[in-house]
Amino acid sequence: MNRPSASRQTVPEEDIIEAKAFVDLFMIAPQTLVDQAEFRCMQLAAGCAISLPSAPAIGLNRVLGIVALEDLDTAYEWMSKKAGRRYLQMNAATAPQQTHDWTRKRGLVPQGNGWAKLRRAAPSTPLIHSGEVATRQVKVTEAEIFGSMMCAGFNFPANLTPLWSAIVGKGGWSCFFAELDGRPIATGAMYAADGFAWLGGGATVPDFRNRGAQKALITARLNQGTGQGAHTFVVETAQPSADEPNISYANLIVAGFEQIYTRMNYRFPDGS
């Protein structure tokens, strides 16, 4: 089957909302953090390029939602001047041949199993979660606790706590705690705009994993987003394999999400 040409290839709405979330994350980040951590973001067409060298996560050091070759050139030039491990993310199965040729010429190579992109429609009636874990929205006065829990859960340095703290109470964002006996044990975030909602920020305190916290947080965000008018929810997680199962993926499938594609991570060559 022929792949679509670069001129006719479009960015899926499921990726556009994700890019919007990360652009907004950059826009509301404290200026001191932007300066000290060299946090940078460039919006380009429907996608973005984002760089936070001290964050170990691919999600904060990548090019996302950019398909036109001239825009890829711009993003590559911009990202090549940044430090740390950097990635281009794309759906290799639908990318046109000229895009694959473009990645090879620049020495970008796929790494790992990639990410599973999942989607589900808004529930027609409110969902009910049963279990020992309760959920609630994070108060603005608890922003630092939320940020520090996310950093601990994602193995980020503590000085990046203000990054995640900044989204609490901001327009478009909904932040949740999962609690056990009144103690916060897990976090979850959601960014909603234009009828779409992106789920992220799912981190659980290690001692309280496998207690149903993330399942409860998925339910809470689906109900919250539906109440705000979202008709489609999207999320991404590591692509599971026989050798590397993924509990997060399993939780999402149980919650009614379906995988729509696998996004590969193409790493920039060191020193580029």
Side-chain angles (χ1 to χ4, degrees):
M1 184 173 67
N2 293 329
R3 291 188 171 116
S5 68
S7 61
R8 290 186 286 111
Q9 190 185 16
T10 59
V11 180
E13 291 282 358
E14 293 84 2
D15 289 354
I16 292 174
I17 183 61
E18 182 185 346
K20 284 181 178 179
F22 279 84
V23 170
D24 197 72
L25 175 66
F26 172 75
M27 294 298 293
I28 62 180
Q31 190 61 45
T32 52
L33 177 109
V34 171
D35 294 339
Q36 294 171 4
E38 298 184 331
F39 188 22
R40 301 290 184 268
C41 181
M42 176 179 64
Q43 187 170 8
L44 194 59
C48 68
I50 190 163
S51 171
L52 183 56
S54 57
I58 293 175
L60 287 163
N61 292 281
R62 59 174 170 157
V63 175
L64 164 71
I66 297 175
V67 297
L69 293 182
E70 58 268 29
D71 290 341
L72 284 171
D73 282 334
T74 300
Y76 179 84
E77 181 179 355
W78 184 89
M79 188 64 91
S80 294
K81 298 173 183 176
K82 304 299 182 270
R85 293 185 176 182
R86 299 142 298 158
Y87 297 84
L88 164 68
Q89 292 190 315
M90 71 177 190
N91 181 351
T94 60
Q97 185 58 50
Q98 52 262 54
T99 302
H100 287 273
D101 294 340
W102 184 93
T103 61
R104 283 192 291 269
K105 288 178 181 177
R106 285 155 184 78
L108 276 66
V109 294
Q111 181 172 308
N113 296 328
W115 290 7
K117 185 76 178 189
L118 302 103
R119 175 184 65 200
R120 70 152 288 169
S124 56
T125 58
L127 302 176
I128 298 174
H129 175 77
S130 59
E132 59 182 347
V133 176
T135 59
R136 67 172 177 85
Q137 286 193 262
V138 180
K139 302 173 185 176
V140 174
T141 55
E142 301 169 312
E144 187 172 354
I145 298 172
F146 178 83
S148 63
M149 286 180 65
M150 281 190 63
C151 281
F154 290 121
N155 197 30
F156 281 15
N159 67 328
L160 294 183
T161 294
L163 174 66
W164 301 119
S165 300
I167 67 175
V168 178
K170 295 300 191 302
W173 291 93
S174 299
C175 301
F176 288 87
F177 281 139
E179 293 184 327
L180 188 62
D181 297 327
R183 171 186 174 181
I185 62 169
T187 61
M190 178 181 70
Y191 178 79
D194 305 320
F196 285 80
W198 172 82
L199 306 187
T204 304
V205 175
D207 289 346
F208 293 94
R209 288 175 181 161
N210 301 315
R211 303 286 289 270
Q214 289 304 322
K215 289 180 180 178
L217 286 165
I218 292 169
T219 297
R221 286 174 289 177
L222 287 171
N223 287 336
Q224 176 75 9
T226 302
Q228 293 177 341
H231 56 71
T232 303
F233 293 79
V234 301
V235 64
E236 55 283 337
T237 187
Q239 177 67 50
S241 67
D243 297 328
E244 298 180 39
N246 182 349
I247 294 176
S248 295
Y249 182 93
N251 287 341
L252 291 163
I253 295 297
V254 169
F257 283 82
E258 296 181 355
Q259 183 170 350
I260 55 175
Y261 75 85
T262 299
R263 179 192 294 164
M264 294 306 297
N265 298 311
Y266 289 78
R267 185 176 170 181
F268 278 58
D270 292 334
S272 63

